[in-house]
PDB file of all heavy atoms in Angstrom:
ATOM      1  N   VAL H   1      43.586 117.564  79.930  1.00  0.00           N
ATOM      2  CA  VAL H   1      44.710 116.758  80.420  1.00  0.00           C
ATOM      3  C   VAL H   1      45.163 115.743  79.386  1.00  0.00           C
ATOM      4  O   VAL H   1      46.092 114.962  79.640  1.00  0.00           O
ATOM      5  CB  VAL H   1      44.348 116.048  81.750  1.00  0.00           C
ATOM      6  CG1 VAL H   1      44.077 117.068  82.833  1.00  0.00           C
ATOM      7  CG2 VAL H   1      43.170 115.099  81.579  1.00  0.00           C
ATOM      8  N   ASP H   2      44.547 115.730  78.221  1.00  0.00           N
ATOM      9  CA  ASP H   2      44.997 114.863  77.129  1.00  0.00           C
ATOM     10  C   ASP H   2      46.438 115.243  76.787  1.00  0.00           C
ATOM     11  O   ASP H   2      46.747 116.425  76.607  1.00  0.00           O
ATOM     12  CB  ASP H   2      44.087 115.063  75.921  1.00  0.00           C
ATOM     13  CG  ASP H   2      44.351 114.080  74.793  1.00  0.00           C
ATOM     14  OD1 ASP H   2      45.537 113.902  74.433  1.00  0.00           O
ATOM     15  OD2 ASP H   2      43.392 113.506  74.258  1.00  0.00           O
ATOM     16  N   PRO H   3      47.340 114.270  76.679  1.00  0.00           N
ATOM     17  CA  PRO H   3      48.746 114.608  76.389  1.00  0.00           C
ATOM     18  C   PRO H   3      48.953 115.246  75.020  1.00  0.00           C
ATOM     19  O   PRO H   3      50.022 115.786  74.753  1.00  0.00           O
ATOM     20  CB  PRO H   3      49.463 113.252  76.493  1.00  0.00           C
ATOM     21  CG  PRO H   3      48.396 112.225  76.341  1.00  0.00           C
ATOM     22  CD  PRO H   3      47.166 112.821  76.916  1.00  0.00           C
ATOM     23  N   ASN H   4      47.928 115.178  74.153  1.00  0.00           N
ATOM     24  CA  ASN H   4      48.040 115.818  72.848  1.00  0.00           C
ATOM     25  C   ASN H   4      47.216 117.103  72.748  1.00  0.00           C
ATOM     26  O   ASN H   4      47.123 117.694  71.676  1.00  0.00           O
ATOM     27  CB  ASN H   4      47.586 114.851  71.749  1.00  0.00           C
ATOM     28  CG  ASN H   4      48.510 113.656  71.618  1.00  0.00           C
ATOM     29  OD1 ASN H   4      49.727 113.814  71.578  1.00  0.00           O
ATOM     30  ND2 ASN H   4      47.940 112.465  71.562  1.00  0.00           N
ATOM     31  N   ALA H   5      46.622 117.546  73.856  1.00  0.00           N
ATOM     32  CA  ALA H   5      45.747 118.717  73.820  1.00  0.00           C
ATOM     33  C   ALA H   5      46.543 119.983  73.529  1.00  0.00           C
ATOM     34  O   ALA H   5      47.607 120.215  74.105  1.00  0.00           O
ATOM     35  CB  ALA H   5      45.003 118.854  75.140  1.00  0.00           C
ATOM     36  N   HIS H   6      45.997 120.804  72.633  1.00  0.00           N
ATOM     37  CA  HIS H   6      46.602 122.101  72.307  1.00  0.00           C
ATOM     38  C   HIS H   6      45.711 123.257  72.719  1.00  0.00           C
ATOM     39  O   HIS H   6      46.132 124.416  72.670  1.00  0.00           O
ATOM     40  CB  HIS H   6      46.860 122.201  70.798  1.00  0.00           C
ATOM     41  CG  HIS H   6      48.030 121.403  70.325  1.00  0.00           C
ATOM     42  ND1 HIS H   6      48.195 120.073  70.596  1.00  0.00           N
ATOM     43  CD2 HIS H   6      49.107 121.772  69.578  1.00  0.00           C
ATOM     44  CE1 HIS H   6      49.316 119.640  70.034  1.00  0.00           C
ATOM     45  NE2 HIS H   6      49.889 120.653  69.425  1.00  0.00           N
ATOM     46  N   GLY H   7      44.470 122.972  73.091  1.00  0.00           N
ATOM     47  CA  GLY H   7      43.530 124.018  73.469  1.00  0.00           C
ATOM     48  C   GLY H   7      42.445 124.201  72.421  1.00  0.00           C
ATOM     49  O   GLY H   7      42.660 123.972  71.225  1.00  0.00           O
ATOM     50  N   SER H   8      41.275 124.604  72.883  1.00  0.00           N
ATOM     51  CA  SER H   8      40.201 124.952  71.961  1.00  0.00           C
ATOM     52  C   SER H   8      40.569 126.228  71.213  1.00  0.00           C
ATOM     53  O   SER H   8      41.528 126.934  71.572  1.00  0.00           O
ATOM     54  CB  SER H   8      38.902 125.165  72.739  1.00  0.00           C
ATOM     55  OG  SER H   8      39.005 126.332  73.555  1.00  0.00           O
ATOM     56  N   GLY H   9      39.794 126.560  70.190  1.00  0.00           N
ATOM     57  CA  GLY H   9      40.020 127.830  69.510  1.00  0.00           C
ATOM     58  C   GLY H   9      39.870 129.002  70.453  1.00  0.00           C
ATOM     59  O   GLY H   9      40.630 129.973  70.377  1.00  0.00           O
ATOM     60  N   PHE H  10      38.882 128.927  71.346  1.00  0.00           N
ATOM     61  CA  PHE H  10      38.673 129.972  72.346  1.00  0.00           C
ATOM     62  C   PHE H  10      39.922 130.142  73.208  1.00  0.00           C
ATOM     63  O   PHE H  10      40.362 131.262  73.476  1.00  0.00           O
ATOM     64  CB  PHE H  10      37.465 129.594  73.211  1.00  0.00           C
ATOM     65  CG  PHE H  10      37.106 130.600  74.266  1.00  0.00           C
ATOM     66  CD1 PHE H  10      36.297 131.684  73.962  1.00  0.00           C
ATOM     67  CD2 PHE H  10      37.544 130.451  75.564  1.00  0.00           C
ATOM     68  CE1 PHE H  10      35.944 132.613  74.939  1.00  0.00           C
ATOM     69  CE2 PHE H  10      37.202 131.368  76.552  1.00  0.00           C
ATOM     70  CZ  PHE H  10      36.399 132.451  76.234  1.00  0.00           C
ATOM     71  N   ASP H  11      40.501 129.024  73.651  1.00  0.00           N
ATOM     72  CA  ASP H  11      41.700 129.072  74.489  1.00  0.00           C
ATOM     73  C   ASP H  11      42.894 129.628  73.713  1.00  0.00           C
ATOM     74  O   ASP H  11      43.643 130.474  74.207  1.00  0.00           O
ATOM     75  CB  ASP H  11      42.050 127.677  75.000  1.00  0.00           C
ATOM     76  CG  ASP H  11      41.000 127.101  75.921  1.00  0.00           C
ATOM     77  OD1 ASP H  11      40.409 127.867  76.697  1.00  0.00           O
ATOM     78  OD2 ASP H  11      40.765 125.874  75.870  1.00  0.00           O
ATOM     79  N   ARG H  12      43.073 129.143  72.485  1.00  0.00           N
ATOM     80  CA  ARG H  12      44.268 129.494  71.726  1.00  0.00           C
ATOM     81  C   ARG H  12      44.239 130.961  71.287  1.00  0.00           C
ATOM     82  O   ARG H  12      45.242 131.675  71.399  1.00  0.00           O
ATOM     83  CB  ARG H  12      44.427 128.566  70.526  1.00  0.00           C
ATOM     84  CG  ARG H  12      44.573 127.098  70.909  1.00  0.00           C
ATOM     85  CD  ARG H  12      45.194 126.276  69.803  1.00  0.00           C
ATOM     86  NE  ARG H  12      46.589 126.654  69.594  1.00  0.00           N
ATOM     87  CZ  ARG H  12      47.405 126.037  68.732  1.00  0.00           C
ATOM     88  NH1 ARG H  12      46.958 125.042  67.989  1.00  0.00           N
ATOM     89  NH2 ARG H  12      48.652 126.431  68.607  1.00  0.00           N
ATOM     90  N   VAL H  13      43.093 131.401  70.790  1.00  0.00           N
ATOM     91  CA  VAL H  13      42.983 132.805  70.406  1.00  0.00           C
ATOM     92  C   VAL H  13      43.133 133.696  71.634  1.00  0.00           C
ATOM     93  O   VAL H  13      43.775 134.754  71.582  1.00  0.00           O
ATOM     94  CB  VAL H  13      41.649 133.064  69.685  1.00  0.00           C
ATOM     95  CG1 VAL H  13      41.420 134.563  69.490  1.00  0.00           C
ATOM     96  CG2 VAL H  13      41.637 132.361  68.337  1.00  0.00           C
ATOM     97  N   GLY H  14      42.565 133.255  72.766  1.00  0.00           N
ATOM     98  CA  GLY H  14      42.695 134.040  73.992  1.00  0.00           C
ATOM     99  C   GLY H  14      44.137 134.177  74.439  1.00  0.00           C
ATOM    100  O   GLY H  14      44.567 135.251  74.874  1.00  0.00           O
ATOM    101  N   ALA H  15      44.907 133.100  74.345  1.00  0.00           N
ATOM    102  CA  ALA H  15      46.320 133.166  74.729  1.00  0.00           C
ATOM    103  C   ALA H  15      47.096 134.076  73.785  1.00  0.00           C
ATOM    104  O   ALA H  15      47.944 134.873  74.212  1.00  0.00           O
ATOM    105  CB  ALA H  15      46.924 131.763  74.730  1.00  0.00           C
ATOM    106  N   PHE H  16      46.808 133.965  72.489  1.00  0.00           N
ATOM    107  CA  PHE H  16      47.458 134.844  71.513  1.00  0.00           C
ATOM    108  C   PHE H  16      47.140 136.307  71.830  1.00  0.00           C
ATOM    109  O   PHE H  16      48.027 137.169  71.835  1.00  0.00           O
ATOM    110  CB  PHE H  16      46.995 134.474  70.108  1.00  0.00           C
ATOM    111  CG  PHE H  16      47.617 135.296  69.015  1.00  0.00           C
ATOM    112  CD1 PHE H  16      48.828 134.929  68.444  1.00  0.00           C
ATOM    113  CD2 PHE H  16      46.995 136.442  68.550  1.00  0.00           C
ATOM    114  CE1 PHE H  16      49.407 135.685  67.433  1.00  0.00           C
ATOM    115  CE2 PHE H  16      47.559 137.218  67.543  1.00  0.00           C
ATOM    116  CZ  PHE H  16      48.766 136.833  66.982  1.00  0.00           C
ATOM    117  N   GLN H  17      45.863 136.593  72.114  1.00  0.00           N
ATOM    118  CA  GLN H  17      45.480 137.961  72.454  1.00  0.00           C
ATOM    119  C   GLN H  17      46.137 138.433  73.743  1.00  0.00           C
ATOM    120  O   GLN H  17      46.490 139.608  73.882  1.00  0.00           O
ATOM    121  CB  GLN H  17      43.963 138.064  72.583  1.00  0.00           C
ATOM    122  CG  GLN H  17      43.234 138.022  71.249  1.00  0.00           C
ATOM    123  CD  GLN H  17      41.756 138.293  71.405  1.00  0.00           C
ATOM    124  OE1 GLN H  17      41.107 137.705  72.261  1.00  0.00           O
ATOM    125  NE2 GLN H  17      41.208 139.162  70.568  1.00  0.00           N
ATOM    126  N   ASP H  18      46.318 137.530  74.696  1.00  0.00           N
ATOM    127  CA  ASP H  18      46.969 137.881  75.955  1.00  0.00           C
ATOM    128  C   ASP H  18      48.379 138.394  75.691  1.00  0.00           C
ATOM    129  O   ASP H  18      48.797 139.439  76.211  1.00  0.00           O
ATOM    130  CB  ASP H  18      46.995 136.662  76.877  1.00  0.00           C
ATOM    131  CG  ASP H  18      47.399 136.995  78.299  1.00  0.00           C
ATOM    132  OD1 ASP H  18      47.370 138.185  78.674  1.00  0.00           O
ATOM    133  OD2 ASP H  18      47.728 136.050  79.053  1.00  0.00           O
ATOM    134  N   GLY H  19      49.129 137.665  74.876  1.00  0.00           N
ATOM    135  CA  GLY H  19      50.478 138.116  74.546  1.00  0.00           C
ATOM    136  C   GLY H  19      50.478 139.397  73.743  1.00  0.00           C
ATOM    137  O   GLY H  19      51.299 140.296  73.975  1.00  0.00           O
ATOM    138  N   TYR H  20      49.541 139.501  72.804  1.00  0.00           N
ATOM    139  CA  TYR H  20      49.451 140.686  71.957  1.00  0.00           C
ATOM    140  C   TYR H  20      49.126 141.927  72.790  1.00  0.00           C
ATOM    141  O   TYR H  20      49.710 142.990  72.598  1.00  0.00           O
ATOM    142  CB  TYR H  20      48.371 140.457  70.901  1.00  0.00           C
ATOM    143  CG  TYR H  20      48.301 141.516  69.820  1.00  0.00           C
ATOM    144  CD1 TYR H  20      49.006 141.360  68.626  1.00  0.00           C
ATOM    145  CD2 TYR H  20      47.518 142.652  69.980  1.00  0.00           C
ATOM    146  CE1 TYR H  20      48.938 142.318  67.624  1.00  0.00           C
ATOM    147  CE2 TYR H  20      47.445 143.619  68.992  1.00  0.00           C
ATOM    148  CZ  TYR H  20      48.160 143.453  67.817  1.00  0.00           C
ATOM    149  OH  TYR H  20      48.083 144.414  66.832  1.00  0.00           O
ATOM    150  N   ASP H  21      48.195 141.784  73.733  1.00  0.00           N
ATOM    151  CA  ASP H  21      47.742 142.927  74.526  1.00  0.00           C
ATOM    152  C   ASP H  21      48.642 143.227  75.722  1.00  0.00           C
ATOM    153  O   ASP H  21      48.841 144.387  76.080  1.00  0.00           O
ATOM    154  CB  ASP H  21      46.327 142.681  75.042  1.00  0.00           C
ATOM    155  CG  ASP H  21      45.281 142.674  73.950  1.00  0.00           C
ATOM    156  OD1 ASP H  21      45.543 143.256  72.874  1.00  0.00           O
ATOM    157  OD2 ASP H  21      44.207 142.080  74.158  1.00  0.00           O
ATOM    158  N   ASN H  22      49.149 142.178  76.368  1.00  0.00           N
ATOM    159  CA  ASN H  22      49.780 142.338  77.678  1.00  0.00           C
ATOM    160  C   ASN H  22      51.271 142.048  77.705  1.00  0.00           C
ATOM    161  O   ASN H  22      51.910 142.261  78.737  1.00  0.00           O
ATOM    162  CB  ASN H  22      49.065 141.448  78.699  1.00  0.00           C
ATOM    163  CG  ASN H  22      47.588 141.792  78.804  1.00  0.00           C
ATOM    164  OD1 ASN H  22      47.222 142.953  78.880  1.00  0.00           O
ATOM    165  ND2 ASN H  22      46.733 140.776  78.779  1.00  0.00           N
ATOM    166  N   GLY H  23      51.820 141.561  76.596  1.00  0.00           N
ATOM    167  CA  GLY H  23      53.262 141.388  76.517  1.00  0.00           C
ATOM    168  C   GLY H  23      53.774 140.064  77.046  1.00  0.00           C
ATOM    169  O   GLY H  23      53.038 139.252  77.607  1.00  0.00           O
ATOM    170  N   LEU H  24      55.067 139.867  76.881  1.00  0.00           N
ATOM    171  CA  LEU H  24      55.698 138.580  77.181  1.00  0.00           C
ATOM    172  C   LEU H  24      55.680 138.239  78.660  1.00  0.00           C
ATOM    173  O   LEU H  24      55.652 137.057  79.018  1.00  0.00           O
ATOM    174  CB  LEU H  24      57.149 138.593  76.678  1.00  0.00           C
ATOM    175  CG  LEU H  24      57.354 138.843  75.184  1.00  0.00           C
ATOM    176  CD1 LEU H  24      58.844 138.891  74.869  1.00  0.00           C
ATOM    177  CD2 LEU H  24      56.669 137.770  74.349  1.00  0.00           C
ATOM    178  N   ALA H  25      55.698 139.233  79.529  1.00  0.00           N
ATOM    179  CA  ALA H  25      55.699 138.944  80.966  1.00  0.00           C
ATOM    180  C   ALA H  25      54.435 138.197  81.366  1.00  0.00           C
ATOM    181  O   ALA H  25      54.459 137.329  82.250  1.00  0.00           O
ATOM    182  CB  ALA H  25      55.841 140.232  81.764  1.00  0.00           C
ATOM    183  N   ALA H  26      53.301 138.534  80.726  1.00  0.00           N
ATOM    184  CA  ALA H  26      52.059 137.805  81.008  1.00  0.00           C
ATOM    185  C   ALA H  26      52.200 136.345  80.612  1.00  0.00           C
ATOM    186  O   ALA H  26      51.731 135.445  81.321  1.00  0.00           O
ATOM    187  CB  ALA H  26      50.897 138.455  80.269  1.00  0.00           C
ATOM    188  N   CYS H  27      52.862 136.089  79.504  1.00  0.00           N
ATOM    189  CA  CYS H  27      53.044 134.710  79.029  1.00  0.00           C
ATOM    190  C   CYS H  27      53.959 133.921  79.962  1.00  0.00           C
ATOM    191  O   CYS H  27      53.722 132.732  80.222  1.00  0.00           O
ATOM    192  CB  CYS H  27      53.643 134.706  77.632  1.00  0.00           C
ATOM    193  SG  CYS H  27      52.840 135.805  76.442  1.00  0.00           S
ATOM    194  N   LYS H  28      54.982 134.569  80.451  1.00  0.00           N
ATOM    195  CA  LYS H  28      55.924 133.892  81.338  1.00  0.00           C
ATOM    196  C   LYS H  28      55.220 133.329  82.560  1.00  0.00           C
ATOM    197  O   LYS H  28      55.619 132.284  83.092  1.00  0.00           O
ATOM    198  CB  LYS H  28      57.014 134.864  81.768  1.00  0.00           C
ATOM    199  CG  LYS H  28      58.057 134.250  82.699  1.00  0.00           C
ATOM    200  CD  LYS H  28      59.050 135.292  83.197  1.00  0.00           C
ATOM    201  CE  LYS H  28      60.027 134.675  84.189  1.00  0.00           C
ATOM    202  NZ  LYS H  28      60.967 135.699  84.746  1.00  0.00           N
ATOM    203  N   GLY H  29      54.157 133.984  83.014  1.00  0.00           N
ATOM    204  CA  GLY H  29      53.467 133.564  84.222  1.00  0.00           C
ATOM    205  C   GLY H  29      52.509 132.401  84.038  1.00  0.00           C
ATOM    206  O   GLY H  29      51.872 131.990  85.016  1.00  0.00           O
ATOM    207  N   TYR H  30      52.383 131.839  82.846  1.00  0.00           N
ATOM    208  CA  TYR H  30      51.441 130.743  82.631  1.00  0.00           C
ATOM    209  C   TYR H  30      51.810 129.534  83.482  1.00  0.00           C
ATOM    210  O   TYR H  30      52.981 129.142  83.570  1.00  0.00           O
ATOM    211  CB  TYR H  30      51.406 130.345  81.162  1.00  0.00           C
ATOM    212  CG  TYR H  30      50.501 131.204  80.303  1.00  0.00           C
ATOM    213  CD1 TYR H  30      50.303 132.552  80.589  1.00  0.00           C
ATOM    214  CD2 TYR H  30      49.856 130.683  79.195  1.00  0.00           C
ATOM    215  CE1 TYR H  30      49.481 133.342  79.802  1.00  0.00           C
ATOM    216  CE2 TYR H  30      49.019 131.462  78.398  1.00  0.00           C
ATOM    217  CZ  TYR H  30      48.846 132.795  78.708  1.00  0.00           C
ATOM    218  OH  TYR H  30      48.022 133.575  77.937  1.00  0.00           O
ATOM    219  N   ARG H  31      50.783 128.963  84.095  1.00  0.00           N
ATOM    220  CA  ARG H  31      50.910 127.721  84.864  1.00  0.00           C
ATOM    221  C   ARG H  31      49.694 126.858  84.570  1.00  0.00           C
ATOM    222  O   ARG H  31      48.699 127.338  84.019  1.00  0.00           O
ATOM    223  CB  ARG H  31      50.991 128.014  86.376  1.00  0.00           C
ATOM    224  CG  ARG H  31      52.176 128.861  86.798  1.00  0.00           C
ATOM    225  CD  ARG H  31      53.493 128.135  86.612  1.00  0.00           C
ATOM    226  NE  ARG H  31      54.635 128.924  87.091  1.00  0.00           N
ATOM    227  CZ  ARG H  31      55.356 129.734  86.322  1.00  0.00           C
ATOM    228  NH1 ARG H  31      55.028 129.901  85.037  1.00  0.00           N
ATOM    229  NH2 ARG H  31      56.379 130.400  86.829  1.00  0.00           N
ATOM    230  N   ASP H  32      49.706 125.601  84.929  1.00  0.00           N
ATOM    231  CA  ASP H  32      48.547 124.742  84.711  1.00  0.00           C
ATOM    232  C   ASP H  32      47.307 125.362  85.334  1.00  0.00           C
ATOM    233  O   ASP H  32      47.315 125.744  86.513  1.00  0.00           O
ATOM    234  CB  ASP H  32      48.792 123.348  85.290  1.00  0.00           C
ATOM    235  CG  ASP H  32      49.780 122.529  84.471  1.00  0.00           C
ATOM    236  OD1 ASP H  32      49.971 122.859  83.283  1.00  0.00           O
ATOM    237  OD2 ASP H  32      50.357 121.569  85.020  1.00  0.00           O
ATOM    238  N   ASP H  33      46.254 125.487  84.527  1.00  0.00           N
ATOM    239  CA  ASP H  33      44.964 126.066  84.918  1.00  0.00           C
ATOM    240  C   ASP H  33      45.021 127.564  85.167  1.00  0.00           C
ATOM    241  O   ASP H  33      44.057 128.146  85.676  1.00  0.00           O
ATOM    242  CB  ASP H  33      44.382 125.355  86.147  1.00  0.00           C
ATOM    243  CG  ASP H  33      44.110 123.882  85.872  1.00  0.00           C
ATOM    244  OD1 ASP H  33      43.575 123.574  84.781  1.00  0.00           O
ATOM    245  OD2 ASP H  33      44.444 123.043  86.729  1.00  0.00           O
ATOM    246  N   ASP H  34      46.086 128.202  84.814  1.00  0.00           N
ATOM    247  CA  ASP H  34      46.206 129.659  84.899  1.00  0.00           C
ATOM    248  C   ASP H  34      47.001 130.128  83.678  1.00  0.00           C
ATOM    249  O   ASP H  34      48.233 130.077  83.698  1.00  0.00           O
ATOM    250  CB  ASP H  34      46.908 130.071  86.193  1.00  0.00           C
ATOM    251  CG  ASP H  34      46.970 131.592  86.348  1.00  0.00           C
ATOM    252  OD1 ASP H  34      46.231 132.286  85.616  1.00  0.00           O
ATOM    253  OD2 ASP H  34      47.752 132.063  87.201  1.00  0.00           O
ATOM    254  N   PRO H  35      46.314 130.525  82.613  1.00  0.00           N
ATOM    255  CA  PRO H  35      44.890 130.832  82.533  1.00  0.00           C
ATOM    256  C   PRO H  35      44.002 129.579  82.490  1.00  0.00           C
ATOM    257  O   PRO H  35      44.467 128.491  82.176  1.00  0.00           O
ATOM    258  CB  PRO H  35      44.775 131.622  81.223  1.00  0.00           C
ATOM    259  CG  PRO H  35      45.879 131.072  80.376  1.00  0.00           C
ATOM    260  CD  PRO H  35      47.017 130.802  81.333  1.00  0.00           C
ATOM    261  N   MET H  36      42.736 129.804  82.801  1.00  0.00           N
ATOM    262  CA  MET H  36      41.747 128.750  82.767  1.00  0.00           C
ATOM    263  C   MET H  36      41.637 128.176  81.355  1.00  0.00           C
ATOM    264  O   MET H  36      41.683 128.900  80.370  1.00  0.00           O
ATOM    265  CB  MET H  36      40.403 129.323  83.217  1.00  0.00           C
ATOM    266  CG  MET H  36      39.206 128.429  83.057  1.00  0.00           C
ATOM    267  SD  MET H  36      37.702 129.234  83.686  1.00  0.00           S
ATOM    268  CE  MET H  36      37.672 130.743  82.707  1.00  0.00           C
TER     269      MET H  36
END
């Protein structure tokens, strides 16, 4: 919840892989705490 938080490496690489594997529609669905 830090206003400057960008995510851990685990989070950031996971999000990148999500888009790479599952496409833009998966990214569009992002909401707070989803993905974890």
